[in-house]
Amino acid sequence: AVLHEEAGNVQASIADLREAVKLNPMIDELRVSLLRYLLSIGDRDTDAVEVVEGVIKRRPGDLALLVNTGDIFREAGRIDRAEDYYERAYKQSAQLFIVLRYLDLLQTRKPPALTKADEVLRTMGSAVDAEPSLLMSRAKQFAFRGRQEEAL
């Protein structure tokens, strides 16, 4: 892949890296590097999604993989794609590390996805009152709606 890239053959380099990820789906560094590379060179979102979906098929139920993929798309400014991966992880499990990432994205996107964030907080039930990070998310929901007294 490196030799292809040095020779200016980006397509061949990407093909080699895709094959390496396909053969080694458990090597996260390889997958992450390829995704970041694809997202950095322009109109390669479809390629990035194909790569990660291939890995997800071989690692079903890997919540960290879904969240990490959401993080990578979010870093690259692909908020809708990031939301898709966070939401998929959330639908499989409402673990706190997933919920917090998902809520943060919903509340910081432009415009904030307040209705979805409300639904997530509602599904967390009494855990909201026991977890400071969830309390902050709920307070943000009130603040976004101009209900400052309730936010406090």
Side-chain angles (χ1 to χ4, degrees), residues 49-62:
V49 169
E50 287 173 5
V51 167
V52 80
E53 289 301 324
V55 174
I56 290 169
K57 282 180 185 171
R58 301 210 24 218
R59 293 168 57 180
D62 188 336

Side-chain angles (χ1 to χ4, degrees), residues 40-94:
S40 74
I41 59 175
D43 193 23
R44 301 307 282 253
D45 285 29
T46 301
D47 291 327
V49 169
E50 287 173 5
V51 167
V52 80
E53 289 301 324
V55 174
I56 290 169
K57 282 180 185 171
R58 301 210 24 218
R59 293 168 57 180
D62 188 336
L63 299 174
L65 170 63
L66 291 171
V67 172
N68 178 260
T69 300
D71 291 345
I72 292 167
F73 277 104
R74 189 176 186 180
E75 289 168 11
R78 286 17 175 244
I79 302 304
D80 288 339
R81 291 209 192 270
E83 183 176 336
D84 289 342
Y85 288 101
Y86 290 152
E87 185 173 31
R88 284 169 64 180
Y90 167 72
K91 286 182 176 180
Q92 289 183 38
S93 175

